[in-house]
Amino acid sequence: MPPCVQIMQCCLASLFIVLFLPPLLSGLCISQSVKIPREPRVGEFDKIIHRLSENPNARVVIIFANEDDIRRLLQAAKRANQTGHFIWVGSDSWGSKISPILSQEEMAEGAVTILPKRQSIKGFDRYFISRTLENNRRNIWFAEFWENNFQCKLSRHAVKKGSGIKKCT
């Protein structure tokens, strides 16, 4: 039977631990799936590292998590003396960003991160800038974008006197 793989997932963040098998072995199994809570409590990342360390053969971690969770996971691995134990594969939220590894570069040594190629779509910026509340009723998120971007509320009932929030015009 081939060694197993560990997978870690979360509501907004996922972490997969994968063991790459030698070519002579066929198959791959998932050792475990671990979730990062949306609002992790103190010590949560230490528990995660302990759990991931339970299978010493599963060492490759594929992580889909936000920058802060990546940073806190690496800090927990460092506290657990796991420097060099895990091989990290980071999603595009890690990509080429330095913040997840700042002051703990040795924990991420050898990591592979993904950064998809990005390019502008011709004419999109001009189109997007031309959108208004009147000509963009189809996009259900546009009203929220408008309120956040212009710090205002669309509904008169949502504007409270003295709140400093104005009605969108």
Side-chain angles (χ1 to χ4, degrees):
M1 184 170 153
C4 291
V5 174
Q6 301 179 63
I7 293 184
M8 183 170 166
Q9 303 173 328
C10 175
C11 336
L12 294 177
S14 297
L15 176 70
F16 297 95
I17 294 203
V18 180
L19 174 64
F20 293 108
L21 303 174
L24 298 175
L25 297 174
S26 63
L28 186 70
C29 72
I30 296 173
S31 171
Q32 65 178 306
S33 175
V34 182
K35 293 188 177 191
I36 300 172
R38 187 178 301 270
E39 295 178 20
R41 295 180 181 169
V42 173
E44 192 72 39
F45 290 94
D46 296 316
K47 290 178 191 173
I48 290 170
I49 290 298
H50 176 74
R51 188 164 168 204
L52 296 177
S53 301
E54 289 174 354
N55 183 344
N57 293 327
R59 296 184 46 215
V60 177
V61 179
I62 302 173
I63 181 167
F64 294 93
N66 64 46
E67 292 174 56
D68 190 48
D69 286 346
I70 293 167
R71 183 180 50 74
R72 295 194 292 175
L73 189 68
L74 293 174
Q75 287 172 338
K78 187 175 185 176
R79 282 192 300 276
N81 259 346
Q82 295 294 327
T83 304
H85 178 75
F86 295 115
I87 299 166
W88 306 98
V89 179
S91 68
D92 60 337
S93 64
W94 183 340
S96 65
K97 297 173 188 154
I98 189 103
S99 60
I101 64 167
L102 203 55
S103 300
Q104 54 189 16
E105 292 83 359
E106 70 281 359
M107 291 308 302
E109 190 172 325
V112 176
T113 62
I114 299 166
L115 185 62
K117 182 180 179 182
R118 297 177 184 161
Q119 66 184 43
S120 295
I121 298 172
K122 192 174 183 173
F124 178 78
D125 290 341
R126 186 175 58 254
Y127 164 79
F128 191 74
I129 290 170
S130 74
R131 301 292 85 196
T132 66
L133 292 171
E134 287 73 36
N135 67 10
N136 202 36
R137 294 283 180 203
R138 271 186 15 199
N139 185 333
I140 60 173
W141 295 285
F142 192 74
E144 183 179 341
F145 161 78
W146 193 271
E147 288 178 334
N148 288 333
N149 193 53
F150 296 109
Q151 285 96 40
C152 61
K153 289 288 179 189
L154 290 168
S155 167
R156 268 189 294 148
H157 305 292
V159 178
K160 294 183 175 69
K161 287 193 175 205
S163 68
I165 298 174
K166 61 184 182 203
K167 182 179 181 328
C168 294
T169 56

